[in-house]
Structure formats: structure tokens, C-alpha cells
Amino acid sequence: MLLIVGTIRLPAENLAVARPAMRRMVEASRAEPGCLLYVYAEDLFDPGLIHVTEKWTDQAALDRHFAAPHLAEWRAAWPAFGIGDRDLMLYDAATSRAI
């Protein structure tokens, strides 16, 4: 299993205009084969900070995601939304357990 965890940042005043594009990105990604979890969450205390959490079955699924048209469209929209800072990390998780 692969996890992507991190943040993206945009000006807080652009959140309302960016939300529909974020929704399209999340919904399309969740529909992809191999996507187990795909979440964008606004930070409660830092307006404009979006927490990203993704869970993929394997590298092949993630590679397909990276090549998906909706991802290219989302990234192409970043300048219009003022998305600049991006801090995402990929983790390879061999096992998981409930806590």
C-alpha cells in the first residue's frame, strides 16, 4: 500500500473559487481503480492550508493516477487559484493495523 500525505497552500480568499475544482479532482480520483482513499481537508486554524491524504493499492495504480487527465487539469488550474506551496510525501506501507 502507498500513502501520500502532505499539504498544499493557496490564498484563503481563493478557497471558494477553488472548491469546485478540488471536488472534481477528489471525486475523479476516488473513482480510479486502486484508490483506497483520497481526501482534501481544510485546516481549521490555518486558512488556505489544505491537508492531502491518499491511499493507493500499489505503484501501478498510482502511476495511472499520475497520468490521468483530471490530474493534469487540476495542476493546470493551480496558477489561477494561487496554489504555490506543495509539500507531499510518498510512504510505502507494508502493513497496517487499527489503533
Side-chain angles (χ1 to χ4, degrees), residues 19-89:
R19 274 191 196 103
M22 286 191 275
R23 176 182 286 276
R24 286 190 300 274
M25 176 61 184
V26 169
E27 289 175 350
S29 297
R30 287 177 178 175
E32 291 181 58
C35 180
L36 302 172
L37 179 74
Y38 201 98
V39 177
Y40 289 170
E42 294 178 39
D43 192 285
L44 293 175
F45 306 107
D46 190 348
L49 183 65
I50 306 297
H51 295 271
V52 177
T53 306
E54 305 176 30
K55 189 187 314 183
W56 298 91
T57 54
D58 54 31
Q59 188 63 51
L62 187 56
D63 290 343
R64 287 189 303 272
H65 172 66
F66 287 150
H70 60 269
L71 181 59
E73 291 169 15
W74 168 235
R75 287 183 175 169
W78 287 5
F81 300 139
I83 294 175
D85 292 340
R86 181 175 156 248
D87 181 18
L88 299 170
M89 296 296 296

